[in-house]
Amino acid sequence: MKRLACVLWSGLFLGWAMAATAAEPARDPSRDVFLQTIGMLAGQGLVLGHEALEGIHARYEKGILPRENAERALADQARYADWVLAAFKDRLMGRLAEQEKKDLALLIGFYEVQRQAVEALASYVRAGGAKNRENFEAQQERVAAIIRQISLGGGAS
């Protein structure tokens, strides 16, 4: 399913790249490859981030991963999500056509949900409690729903 999500995410970006191509008379084919690559890597990042959080949570719950190591791993996950969000918002958004900006806004929203899942698990690791654990599980389900949406081709239109 993970590979399928990445391939279909790439197809999603290929679809909007082709739609944009139909609307524009002359287009650089390397731009389409660029957008497809971004989509594929973004989808892969969501899947891998989701799996990493599940692994951190499971190892922490079983006492295999000490709190300080879990906090360090979560800080790394947060930095990665922040880096992706900054790249999308600050560096890429200004270089896209209007429809491409709408599609990138979806990616930004997806990564913001991923970031919320990281924060929810960090809260659980720091403070414990059923409420924090339930919040993390809810955030992870949101990310899982996004991944299912992507893998079914229902991301952007």
Side-chain angles (χ1 to χ4, degrees):
M1 174 155 156
K2 294 174 193 165
R3 288 187 193 133
L4 178 63
C6 292
V7 168
L8 291 174
W9 188 257
S10 178
L12 173 76
F13 271 81
L14 173 62
W16 63 259
M18 289 172 59
T21 301
E24 299 172 10
R27 186 166 169 124
D28 180 2
S30 65
R31 181 179 178 86
D32 295 339
V33 172
F34 172 72
L35 294 173
Q36 292 168 30
T37 302
I38 290 171
M40 183 176 62
L41 293 174
Q44 180 184 22
L46 284 172
V47 171
L48 293 174
H50 182 265
E51 293 296 317
L53 291 179
E54 285 295 326
I56 293 167
H57 178 248
R59 290 185 316 234
Y60 179 74
E61 284 281 292
K62 293 179 180 180
I64 299 169
L65 184 65
R67 173 181 282 165
E68 47 284 343
N69 292 5
E71 289 173 340
R72 194 171 18 260
L74 291 166
D76 289 342
Q77 290 290 316
R79 274 191 298 280
Y80 174 75
D82 290 342
W83 177 79
V84 169
L85 286 166
F88 285 170
K89 291 177 182 178
D90 301 337
R91 298 181 66 196
L92 186 59
M93 187 63 83
R95 299 173 184 218
L96 300 176
E98 285 308 308
Q99 182 57 49
E100 295 166 345
K101 287 180 182 182
K102 290 177 185 175
D103 294 326
L104 184 61
L106 280 174
L107 273 178
I108 290 169
F110 295 163
Y111 268 87
E112 287 171 344
V113 172
Q114 177 79 6
R115 184 66 168 85
Q116 291 168 7
V118 171
E119 278 303 309
L121 183 54
S123 293
Y124 175 64
V125 168
R126 280 191 305 269
K131 182 178 177 183
N132 286 329
R133 184 179 60 246
E134 290 167 5
N135 184 31
F136 166 68
E137 291 168 354
Q139 296 302 327
Q140 278 292 82
E141 181 50 42
R142 288 179 65 201
V143 175
I146 289 167
I147 293 168
R148 284 191 301 274
Q149 177 185 8
I150 292 167
S151 68
L152 296 173
S157 49

